[in-house]
Amino acid sequence: MQFKTWMTGTLAAAALVAMAPAQADETLTVWWGKGYYKSEDDALFNAIKKFEAKNKGVKIELSLYAPQEMIPKSVAALDAGNPPDVAYGDVYDFQVTAKWAYDGKLEDVSSIIDPLRNKFEAQALSTTFLLNNAEGGKRAYYAFPIKQQTMHIQYWKDMLADAGYKESDIPTGWKDYWNFWCEKVQTGYRQKTGNRAYGTGFPMGVDSSDSFFSFLTFMDAHNVKLVNDSGKLLVDDPAVRQGLINAVTDYTSVYTKGCTPPSATNWKDPDNNVAFHNKTIAMTHNATISIAAKWLDDSTNATLTDAQRAQAKKNYTELIATSAFPTKPDGTKMQYRAAVKTGVIFKDAKNKAMAKKFVAFLLDESNLTPYVEGSLGRWFPVTKAAQESAFWKGDPHRVTVYNQFKAGTVPFEFTKNYKFTVLNNENVWAKAMNRVLNEKVPVDKAVDEMIARIKAVAGS
């Protein structure tokens, strides 16, 4: 969920031009989210090259866009009646896929998914089985799963050591865990080094998807369920309200104690990454392992010096740790929510037959697995075979990701009630935090305001 520098625009580069036949008899328009690493994009290019070689006379016109561009461009294309044939965006699932399905704007791709159903992890696949209100409440596969993510902890081992502690000193209980980073690590590190670093980095910005994913993880730790399986709201339950109060209190307390940077209330998605890389925070939670993987990518970056590559390798292999969350406040183990990244074929696409052929091709293990692994561990596979790849077994960062997913995950609220995509877009979660921290509103009042907004948007 962290993004730094992105290249944008239609790929008319020589690499793709060379893939195309001189005269294309048929054109397929594909819009795709720009990869975080070159290897991720290269895997997509290779799949396109293979598809064009297998389907002579077909030319794929590929456009790559940054995550923040994909939805505005897609919405504009839909409004103009000229959407691409196939589209994938990293934040489609959070913000638009379920709503597009509900409004009847997506093509039913069950004919692609059904023959492959047994190859997918059931939980990941279930998040693409969506409601179409425009067709009388029909449920079907209106999206295809590409990859998934969940929440992790990443911390600097050397900052922990500078504070006077070992990894074995880190508590496993909920309250003790956060107090350890906030009080012991921050205090010890500042005393030892004289640097004004913070023990934690909690994203709290309204314009940050990290802030709502992280907050919802805290909400899950307090066993809060906002909807039932049929999508009905549960927020009138006093236990749900109290759980939200507890979650908001926990999440904002590091700020009120001075244990996370004051700028965190304005952070956008890249900012906790930047703070971590600059060592102004000792730990943060992040919805991928992009923080660690950034250094892995740097370790082989030919544009860097030998010394920079060596330091990057040391950071990845020795100095940064990836871990799961502590146990819940009630002492039970965390169960993580998975965000399944989705692609779609639009109902008004011009070339739906070829679009379905391309999607089926891309979902083949031989194409999808290299694409997912090209992200260096940022994304976890949605297919059973790829999840058991050696790629996930021999690396301590990836093993943590593997273990979290294999313990079982749960979906987001928007898979049961599409209107939660609106609430995520508004980021009612971070707005409540900012009411407490910047406007000094009591937590219970901020939670009541949040509940009122949830009911106004998703209650009917």
Side-chain angles (χ1 to χ4, degrees), residues 69-120:
E69 294 180 300
M70 278 299 298
I71 291 176
K73 287 185 177 294
S74 300
V75 170
L78 280 168
D79 289 346
N82 190 32
D85 298 311
V86 180
Y88 163 81
D90 286 345
V91 291
Y92 271 3
D93 62 315
F94 286 133
Q95 297 178 340
V96 288
T97 302
K99 185 178 189 307
W100 282 342
Y102 186 87
D103 291 342
K105 294 181 178 179
L106 300 181
E107 181 73 4
D108 182 347
V109 295
S110 299
S111 61
I112 302 171
I113 298 298
D114 284 340
L116 304 173
R117 189 183 303 176
N118 291 335
K119 295 185 177 183
F120 287 104

Side-chain angles (χ1 to χ4, degrees), residues 119-135:
K119 295 185 177 183
F120 287 104
E121 176 208 320
Q123 185 64 59
L125 185 58
S126 70
T127 63
T128 61
F129 193 70
L130 300 170
L131 178 68
N132 184 340
N133 188 60
E135 293 191 21

Side-chain angles (χ1 to χ4, degrees), residues 432-453:
M433 298 175 212
N434 278 261
R435 288 281 281 160
V436 172
L437 297 175
N438 293 334
E439 301 175 43
K440 310 306 179 186
V441 170
V443 171
D444 57 349
K445 181 180 179 182
V447 167
D448 286 340
E449 291 172 353
M450 179 169 64
I451 288 174
R453 184 58 184 159

Side-chain angles (χ1 to χ4, degrees), residues 224-241:
V224 176
K225 295 194 180 301
L226 301 178
V227 295
N228 63 16
D229 288 342
S230 64
K232 182 181 178 181
L233 291 183
L234 304 175
V235 292
D236 284 331
D237 184 341
V240 172
R241 177 180 182 270

